[in-house]
Amino acid sequence: MKHTGFLQGFVHKYENPVQYILKLNEAKVLMNEWIGRSIRVEFLDNIKCVHCGRSIKKTYNNGYCYPCFVKLPENDLCIVKPHECHYHLGTCRDSEWGVAHCMVPHYVYLAVSSGVKVGLTRKNNEKKRWVDQGAVQAIAIAEVPTRKIAGELEAYLTQYLADKTDWRKMLKGEVEPVDLIGLREKIYEYFPEEYKQYMIEEDEWMNFIYPILEQVQKVKPYNLDKQPVIEDRLIGMKGQYLLFENGVLNIRKYYGYQVEISG
């Protein structure tokens, strides 16, 4: 089999294990079917902005050209620091985009990937968010009306919980199961009074099993800019990574790259 196109990321089917589908333009490659096989990934020395489609030499913020990086609202600093949202000041890069993406319900959650972390995501986007982070367990602990409020609560809780993932530990699966219900109850004790109205009392969390044939031994990242051809045995997928016998490839890092995948 052979597929050629510009990398656009993964979509998933939330089954047991998670089904990974790699988007290459219009092509959708069912990557679970490739596990256990030696495959070839070749970067064809062609990059296009994932938004405007212009040819570029390098990407910014995972797939954008520089003009799109500095102009589009999804690339504004408040996306990674949502508590600094400035929509209310009238300075949003695109107010319609802000209404559609930020002035909507968001979850604040606990997830277990390399350890327990606190994070946020739009309501109804939580499964993709958790799988993209390589979480094996996750639970929403608060539902708030806007991204800014979610960011403020997340920022407050970082004094008790991490908000980053150690990607090497995540890929190796070096994490113990966590009683998320019990942890949630402890975290609720720290909630400021104004956020208690948003607490969620559901008694179930999500578990995710990833399609991994064998334990990851080497988490050396492959770099398509320095090594345009990768030939290795695919042993699975987790988070936003293809896992090979001798290294790992972060697909998100190479959005917009034209590649040929064969095997």
Side-chain angles (χ1 to χ4, degrees):
M1 291 188 290
K2 182 183 295 186
H3 299 274
T4 302
F6 291 87
L7 287 171
Q8 297 176 317
F10 290 117
V11 294
H12 312 100
K13 292 182 179 179
Y14 303 103
E15 300 174 356
N16 186 7
V18 176
Q19 299 292 311
Y20 273 74
I21 301 148
L22 183 64
K23 295 172 63 180
L24 292 172
N25 298 106
E26 300 303 317
K28 292 181 172 59
V29 187
L30 304 179
M31 294 306 302
N32 292 55
E33 299 177 358
W34 295 55
I35 296 176
R37 294 161 44 186
S38 179
I39 70 172
R40 186 176 193 271
V41 180
E42 180 179 359
F43 170 41
L44 301 178
D45 196 28
N46 190 13
I47 309 173
K48 289 188 176 181
C49 174
V50 294
H51 179 77
C52 70
R54 76 175 70 192
S55 294
I56 51 180
K57 294 296 183 181
K58 64 176 292 186
T59 63
Y60 296 84
N61 196 27
N62 304 312
Y64 294 90
C65 65
Y66 186 72
C68 287
F69 171 66
V70 298
K71 292 180 180 179
L72 293 177
E74 56 264 43
N75 290 321
D76 205 346
L77 182 62
C78 54
I79 297 302
V80 294
K81 295 183 176 181
H83 58 288
E84 296 183 2
C85 171
H86 47 93
Y87 179 89
H88 62 291
L89 299 176
T91 54
C92 183
R93 290 182 178 182
D94 183 334
S95 59
E96 291 185 4
W97 190 94
V99 168
H101 291 84
C102 303
M103 304 297 117
V104 294
H106 277 64
Y107 284 139
V108 176
Y109 63 81
L110 303 177
V112 183
S113 48
S114 60
V116 180
K117 71 178 291 291
V118 61
L120 64 86
T121 185
R122 288 194 309 276
K123 184 179 180 179
N124 299 320
N125 186 60
E126 62 273 12
K127 289 182 181 179
K128 177 168 178 56
R129 178 67 170 168
W130 294 335
V131 168
D132 281 345
Q133 293 183 339
V136 293
Q137 298 172 267
I139 189 171
I141 63 171
E143 180 181 339
V144 303
T146 69
R147 184 176 177 84
K148 186 176 190 295
I149 295 174
E152 291 169 346
L153 178 56
E154 178 195 37
Y156 178 83
L157 293 177
T158 57
Q159 61 187 305
Y160 308 106
L161 295 163
D163 63 345
K164 305 294 182 186
T165 297
D166 182 329
W167 64 274
R168 294 179 184 274
K169 288 181 64 177
M170 179 271 289
L171 293 180
K172 287 186 174 182
E174 298 175 347
V175 61
E176 296 295 325
V178 175
D179 176 7
L180 287 181
I181 298 296
L183 178 60
R184 180 190 67 182
E185 296 308 309
K186 291 181 181 178
I187 295 301
Y188 280 164
E189 295 177 6
Y190 302 125
F191 266 45
E193 192 64 35
E194 63 267 30
Y195 294 104
K196 290 183 177 180
Q197 60 183 308
Y198 303 124
M199 296 189 305
I200 296 174
E201 297 293 346
E202 293 180 5
D203 290 333
E204 294 185 2
W205 62 71
M206 292 289 301
N207 294 296
F208 299 97
I209 296 176
Y210 294 89
I212 300 175
L213 186 63
E214 57 195 59
Q215 179 68 36
V216 176
Q217 300 296 329
K218 298 181 180 180
V219 292
K220 179 187 73 173
Y222 281 122
N223 187 327
L224 289 178
D225 294 307
K226 297 180 179 179
Q227 183 182 346
V229 177
I230 299 168
E231 293 187 80
D232 202 347
R233 186 169 72 98
L234 183 69
I235 61 173
M237 285 78 65
K238 192 175 185 182
Q240 301 187 63
Y241 289 81
L242 292 179
L243 310 179
F244 293 95
E245 197 166 35
N246 298 296
V248 299
L249 181 65
N250 183 349
I251 292 299
R252 181 178 176 83
K253 182 178 178 180
Y254 299 104
Y255 285 0
Y257 282 53
Q258 188 182 31
V259 300
E260 179 182 274
I261 299 180
S262 58

